[in-house]
Amino acid sequence: MEPSELSEEQKVLLDQTVRVVEAGPGSGKTRALVARFLASASQSDKGIALVSFTNAAVDEVRRRTHQMPGLLKAPHFVGTIDSFLHRFIVTPAETARLGRPPSYWASWDDLPEQWSTVRLKNPAGSGIPLSAFRIDAGGTVAINESGLGSDAPYLAQVKKAGALDALTKVARAKTKGLTDHGTYDASAARIKADELLSGSAGPDILARIACRFGELLVDEGQDCDQAELDVIRRIGDAGVLTVVVADPDQAIFEFRGSDPKLFLDYRDSYGPVSCASLVTNYRSTTSICTAVTALRSTGVVAPANKGSCAPVLVLSGAPDDQRKKFAAALDEFGVPLESAIVLAHGRRDAMAAAGASPAEGGSRAIGNRLAAECSVIRHSADSDRRLQAVQVIERIILSLVDWPDDLRTNSPGEQLDALGRPAEWLRQAVAALVARTALTSTADAFGAAARSQLQATLGSLPITHLSLSQRVRKPNADVWAACSVAPGPDSPDMRYGTVHGAKGMEFEAVLLALPLADLRKTNGLDVLDEWEQDVNREARRVLYVGASRAQRLLAFGAGQHSDRVASLLTHAGAPFEKR
């Protein structure tokens, strides 16, 4: 990419004096950051590292360097910030300590159930995921209660019994046991990286990084927690030129430690000469930019294209009504169904508006999960969702192996190596399970067919498997009823997802679904209260991120909240239409 391909505003990222860039949605920040990487990597004697929290920057670098493959090789580095921390900080130190490389998991949820779930003997119950606990470097524990879903009643029982401290103690002990064994989820690895750089080994690690890299370019910096920003500062202090690009209003991973104030404090540690901003939006129409500006805490999202465009839609009614109105609008404005998506803060709200099977958000019981994911693979038109379902079943299959202690928390690749099986074996096992259960007409028959096929898959392995009769029960009646019926022609199969999962992406049309029931309140305010009163909290920022994914058409699935949303858009001067 040549500098001439950038706008004058975007060229600020090529300025060697700039260290921090605030960039609004659709401003081409990733495009400009990639241009900076290509220019520096072509000229520098040292390596250039470009890291991001999403794959958008990584994928664009790879597309832009297909004729220059050397730029993706050492000494350069392009990848997620987590993979950078793993490769250059945590893995060398932990390999020296353990005598083997550590294992990394995206989430504790991917571990076998005995490690991934936290429960007490009293009160008895299903427990809650270990991933719901966040333990910072000081040992302080927080629980992500808003993400518990069907596991929330168990936490309520624990609180009622006065056993929350005991549950927290179990979570802390499990996390320590895993990390002592060299097993990390993304959050634990970040904390470990900061711990290593602040300890006695820090100077040597930083010297090695500074010897290899001349620049560290960080995309989506608003998602950094305190540990990651500390790591970036230390790398900068070691002589590596650091550039952090961020939109503080897109800080929506509060539970993992991100907070707009962290980035703003980082920005303010530099003088004004070292800071710049990108405000022009090349993604969205004027009406969408006006709505997005209204959701932003400060500053304007200025549209590059000021031509005629569709109004923002405010859709009333139940989720089925909203879906039909959105589908009609797609036809009206010429947007293909496959170019649209339903987004929401909570997965269940997105599913309801998209007409997805409620089984897809079902319980963690293996029989229910298998039935739901097999249904997705057979019925969904969304290739990403089908791949996600395949991966869930792959993890279930591996979780049914009776792993010895030294393999129980290893990565899937390491576990497959121990079984003497390639990754293709696991994918074929999923295909066989889906095919074997496809013609079952009752929940009992599905359970029996699933156990039979899993026995065939696991029975010949060199490591024994757990009891299938105990672990793989038939799906319950509600799950079976929901996932055994294919969607009809009057229920278009719309893509759906959470706003968090769609970050870094864009779509021609977005239906942003609000909860059908009363809106959840934090300190007495719901998300529309925050918008009305100009209070900058995460719930409002989630709406901002979701709305800013839209290119041509934005619809709020507002239901009973339609009048409030319409009033807010009126106040913002955003062209809209109630339907």
Side-chain angles (χ1 to χ4, degrees):
M1 179 188 298
E2 297 296 327
S4 59
E5 297 181 52
L6 301 179
S7 70
E8 289 303 311
E9 185 179 83
Q10 292 167 346
K11 287 179 182 177
V12 70
L13 265 163
L14 303 179
D15 188 333
Q16 294 294 308
T17 66
V18 169
R19 297 292 180 270
V20 183
V21 179
E22 283 191 64
S27 60
K29 63 182 177 60
T30 298
R31 177 185 177 87
L33 196 64
V34 169
R36 169 66 177 261
F37 170 82
L38 296 177
S40 296
S42 300
Q43 302 168 9
S44 176
D45 293 333
K46 287 188 174 184
I48 308 299
L50 189 157
V51 300
S52 177
F53 283 85
T54 70
N55 288 320
V58 176
D59 292 342
E60 187 157 347
V61 172
R62 289 172 178 161
R63 285 195 299 270
R64 296 283 178 175
T65 57
H66 68 280
Q67 294 182 333
M68 300 174 286
L71 297 185
L72 295 179
K73 299 178 180 179
H76 307 303
F77 176 85
V78 177
T80 65
I81 191 167
D82 287 326
S83 60
F84 180 88
L85 299 180
H86 297 171
R87 182 176 301 184
F88 300 108
I89 302 175
V90 181
T91 295
E94 284 292 83
T95 300
R97 178 178 74 89
L98 299 165
R100 57 171 175 79
S103 297
Y104 298 107
W105 298 75
S107 168
W108 294 136
D109 292 339
D110 298 337
L111 289 168
E113 192 267 347
Q114 72 179 91
W115 286 100
S116 64
T117 301
V118 181
R119 64 167 65 91
L120 300 172
K121 291 183 179 179
N122 186 27
S126 61
I128 64 176
L130 180 59
S131 61
F133 295 83
R134 185 175 189 274
I135 305 175
D136 65 20
T140 301
V141 179
I143 302 176
N144 182 15
E145 297 189 28
S146 64
L148 286 179
S150 61
D151 297 315
Y154 181 77
L155 181 60
Q157 291 178 24
V158 169
K159 288 182 175 180
K160 186 176 181 180
L164 185 58
D165 287 346
L167 190 74
T168 299
K169 184 176 180 181
V170 173
R172 188 183 285 112
K174 281 200 171 193
T175 302
K176 185 177 186 302
L178 288 164
T179 55
D180 285 351
H181 183 261
T183 301
Y184 293 91
D185 74 340
S187 178
R190 295 175 195 126
I191 292 171
K192 184 65 177 180
D194 188 28
E195 176 187 304
L196 287 166
L197 292 191
S198 62
S200 59
D204 288 340
I205 297 172
L206 289 167
R208 289 198 300 270
I209 291 174
C211 183
R212 173 165 176 170
F213 295 108
E215 294 184 26
L216 172 62
L217 311 177
V218 182
D219 195 15
E220 305 287 359
Q222 75 281 343
D223 292 332
C224 289
D225 62 10
Q226 188 64 65
E228 287 157 326
L229 286 173
D230 287 344
V231 167
I232 293 168
R233 284 191 185 94
R234 289 190 174 100
I235 291 175
D237 290 343
V240 179
L241 190 155
T242 59
V243 179
V244 177
V245 183
D247 179 356
D249 279 304
Q250 292 194 50
I252 60 171
F253 292 97
E254 195 172 273
F255 177 70
R256 68 172 295 283
S258 71
D259 185 322
K261 188 176 185 301
L262 293 177
F263 167 74
L264 294 175
D265 287 346
Y266 179 89
R267 178 202 65 187
D268 293 345
S269 68
Y270 290 87
V273 176
S274 300
C275 301
S277 61
L278 305 179
V279 299
T280 304
N281 182 295
Y282 298 91
R283 172 188 299 156
S284 306
T285 65
T286 301
S287 59
I288 294 172
C289 285
T290 305
V292 170
T293 296
L295 283 163
R296 204 175 195 201
S297 66
T298 184
V300 173
V301 179
N305 180 4
K306 298 182 180 180
S308 61
C309 58
V312 174
L313 302 181
V314 180
L315 307 181
S316 61
D320 285 347
D321 298 321
Q322 296 172 24
R323 180 171 64 258
K324 291 174 183 177
K325 292 174 183 178
F326 186 56
L330 296 179
D331 288 337
E332 178 183 348
F333 295 107
V335 179
L337 181 64
E338 59 271 19
S339 299
I341 193 168
V342 179
L343 296 176
H345 194 159
R347 183 176 177 81
R348 288 181 182 274
D349 294 319
M351 289 166 53
S357 162
E360 294 183 36
S363 75
R364 290 184 289 134
I366 288 178
N368 289 342
R369 292 165 65 198
L370 287 176
E373 303 304 340
C374 285
S375 177
V376 169
I377 293 169
R378 289 194 294 267
H379 299 147
S380 179
D382 183 349
S383 59
D384 290 338
R385 182 66 186 94
R386 292 199 306 273
L387 176 59
Q388 184 183 53
V390 169
Q391 293 169 339
V392 169
I393 297 177
E394 288 178 340
R395 291 196 294 269
I396 289 173
I397 291 172
L398 288 178
S399 75
L400 292 170
V401 176
D402 190 11
W403 298 104
D405 289 343
D406 61 339
L407 290 172
R408 197 175 303 279
T409 59
N410 282 20
S411 69
E414 292 166 331
Q415 291 179 337
L416 285 172
D417 287 343
L419 295 174
R421 299 293 192 275
E424 292 76 12
W425 169 83
L426 197 53
R427 192 58 53 92
Q428 292 165 0
V430 174
L433 180 68
V434 174
R436 182 71 175 270
T437 58
L439 300 179
T440 54
S441 57
T442 67
D444 285 314
F446 179 92
R451 287 190 295 273
S452 177
Q453 184 58 46
L454 288 168
Q455 177 62 46
T457 296
L458 300 170
S460 61
L461 295 178
I463 301 176
T464 59
H465 60 79
L466 301 169
S467 170
L468 299 180
S469 61
Q470 293 181 3
R471 301 271 175 164
V472 185
R473 307 290 180 84
K474 67 179 182 180
N476 66 40
D478 290 342
V479 169
W480 181 251
C483 67
S484 60
V485 179
D490 294 331
S491 300
D493 187 12
M494 289 187 180
R495 280 192 296 174
Y496 68 89
T498 64
V499 174
H500 292 79
K503 209 162 162 295
M505 304 169 71
E506 59 186 25
F507 309 89
E508 284 195 55
V510 171
L511 170 56
L512 189 55
L514 295 175
L516 181 62
D518 292 339
L519 300 174
R520 183 174 181 269
K521 293 190 175 184
T522 302
N523 296 329
L525 300 180
D526 64 39
V527 63
L528 297 183
D529 292 329
E530 293 171 6
W531 190 356
E532 289 167 347
Q533 299 178 33
D534 197 23
V535 175
N536 184 16
R537 289 184 183 158
E538 186 176 64
R540 175 183 170 184
R541 295 195 296 271
V542 169
L543 277 189
Y544 165 80
V545 172
S548 64
R549 301 306 94 197
Q551 297 171 297
R552 293 175 51 199
L553 180 64
L554 170 63
F556 287 91
Q560 65 181 355
H561 315 294
S562 292
D563 289 343
R564 293 183 69 189
V565 173
S567 176
L568 286 161
L569 292 174
T570 299
H571 181 73
F576 74 93
E577 182 180 314
K578 287 180 68 176
R579 295 189 179 183

